[in-house]
Amino acid sequence: MDRYAVVGNPIAQSKSPLIHSAFAEATSQSLSYERIESPLGQFAATVDAFRRAGGSGINVTAPFKLDAFAYATERSERAREAGAVNAMKFDGDRIIAENFDGVGLVRDVVVNLNCSLKGKRILMLGAGGATRGALAPIVAERPAVIVVANRTVQTARDVVAPYAATRVVACGLDELGAEQFDVVFNATSASLTAQLPAVSERVFAANAFAYELAYGKGLTPFLQLAQRAGVTRLADGVGMLAEQAAEAFLWWRGVRPNTAAVIERLTVPLM
Ligand code: NDP
């Protein structure tokens, strides 16, 4: 039976085994999928051992997405654009790396949630790995503008630098001013500790859409802010999680699973 795993630290919280087992059952694929907690600084040794034991591929989660980028022998364009890796497959000595976080996010927003990004004014809060992965797929949807606002402004500037020819701009959270946005993504990790990024409720335009990348946290402080601003279209990252997993599954197994059942099973109501 082909073996897959998700590698991170910590890893007990990961929903990936549940998701991939459900996908395998629904598509009649014979595979196993486990959690592996790698010691910090030991990503390469951990994955070497998994490959020696016959592993076919892995998902990679925090804090190893950059280690996975360095470990790969081949990187897709998406992985290179993101500078980070969230899925790998092994073929003899070849270690092939991908990043499906951004395509997963865009597919959830555009297809599942029926929110076109074309011509929209987009605010991306945060400039970490998730934003790096999301920018190229969002740019491909041809929004009017993307503003990447980060607590540490230099990080936002570094993240937007490859997009100098397009309408992607960087600023500090404290520099947002009076501009309003049609779609606001919270790609900071503030919600993981129930914190609110320092942003005003004035950033939401009328009929705005607010998307929290964290999942399973219910109504986070960011979503509460959006609600106070009158935003009615709210979502969290459960669909992004399921869609990036489906992309990895397709890449590994050649069949794309339907995500609806998994999304329904993992959804925590936004209340
Ligand atoms: P990183 O650690 O790479 O980046 C964290 C970002 O959050 C940085 O820009 C940091 O700013 C900012 N930040 C952290 N705390 C605060 C705060 N209190 N106020 C304002 N800004 C803050 O994280 P990731 O990019 O990997 O993840 C970001 C979020 O996306 C997480 O919630 C994660 O769970 C979610 N995610 C969801 C996925 C899904 O499938 N749904 C997939 C991947 C991520 P600074 O640079 O100033 O430190």
Side-chain angles (χ1 to χ4, degrees):
M1 191 186 288
D2 294 340
R3 285 180 68 188
Y4 298 87
V6 57
V7 179
N9 186 330
I11 202 62
Q13 80 294 345
S14 175
K15 305 290 184 207
S16 293
L18 183 156
I19 295 172
H20 283 282
S21 301
F23 286 168
E25 197 180 332
T27 57
S28 304
Q29 295 280 309
S30 174
L31 59 85
S32 70
Y33 192 104
E34 62 207 88
R35 292 184 177 85
I36 298 178
E37 184 163 275
S38 170
L40 298 176
Q42 299 286 314
F43 177 80
T46 302
V47 183
D48 281 347
F50 183 65
R51 287 170 57 215
R52 275 196 305 272
S56 300
I58 56 170
N59 284 122
V60 182
T61 189
F64 297 123
K65 291 183 182 182
L66 300 184
D67 300 80
F69 187 86
Y71 182 71
T73 59
E74 297 167 43
R75 301 167 188 88
S76 72
E77 190 179 344
R78 275 192 293 240
R80 279 185 272 117
E81 281 166 344
V85 160
N86 91 323
M88 309 189 104
K89 69 179 166 192
F90 310 127
D91 178 12
D93 288 340
R94 295 173 69 204
I95 303 167
I96 310 163
E98 258 291 3
N99 189 316
F100 296 118
D101 282 336
V103 282
L105 172 64
V106 168
R107 191 173 163 104
D108 188 41
V109 171
V110 175
V111 179
N112 297 345
L113 302 167
N114 197 23
C115 174
S116 168
L117 299 177
K118 190 173 176 199
K120 298 282 173 61
R121 296 179 52 78
I122 295 178
L123 174 59
M124 180 69 77
L125 301 172
T131 295
R132 280 183 187 276
L135 274 183
I138 293 177
V139 166
E141 296 296 307
R142 291 184 285 137
V145 65
I146 307 173
V147 175
V148 177
N150 197 43
R151 185 173 60 181
T152 310
V153 66
Q154 189 54 47
T155 314
R157 290 192 187 121
D158 294 344
V159 166
V160 307
Y163 302 93
T166 56
R167 299 200 64 201
V168 186
V169 294
C171 70
L173 283 178
D174 52 355
E175 295 171 325
L176 275 168
E179 273 180 278
Q180 294 200 312
F181 298 88
D182 306 307
V183 182
V184 183
F185 292 105
N186 183 17
T188 74
S189 52
S191 308
L192 303 180
T193 50
Q195 291 184 317
L196 179 67
V199 62
S200 154
E201 61 185 58
R202 291 191 303 274
V203 296
F204 299 99
N207 296 319
F209 179 79
Y211 192 105
E212 168 71 74
L213 270 69
Y215 54 87
K217 304 269 175 208
L219 210 52
T220 62
F222 166 75
L223 292 175
Q224 289 173 32
L225 179 83
Q227 214 172 39
R228 281 200 300 278
V231 175
T232 55
R233 293 194 296 162
L234 309 172
D236 76 0
V238 66
M240 172 184 179
L241 178 73
E243 294 300 338
Q244 64 76 28
E247 292 293 327
F249 195 92
L250 170 62
W251 187 53
W252 291 329
R253 309 300 301 179
V255 48
R256 192 178 206 289
N258 189 304
T259 52
V262 154
I263 292 173
E264 192 182 330
R265 187 158 160 198
L266 293 178
T267 291
V268 172
L270 298 180
M271 49 191 255

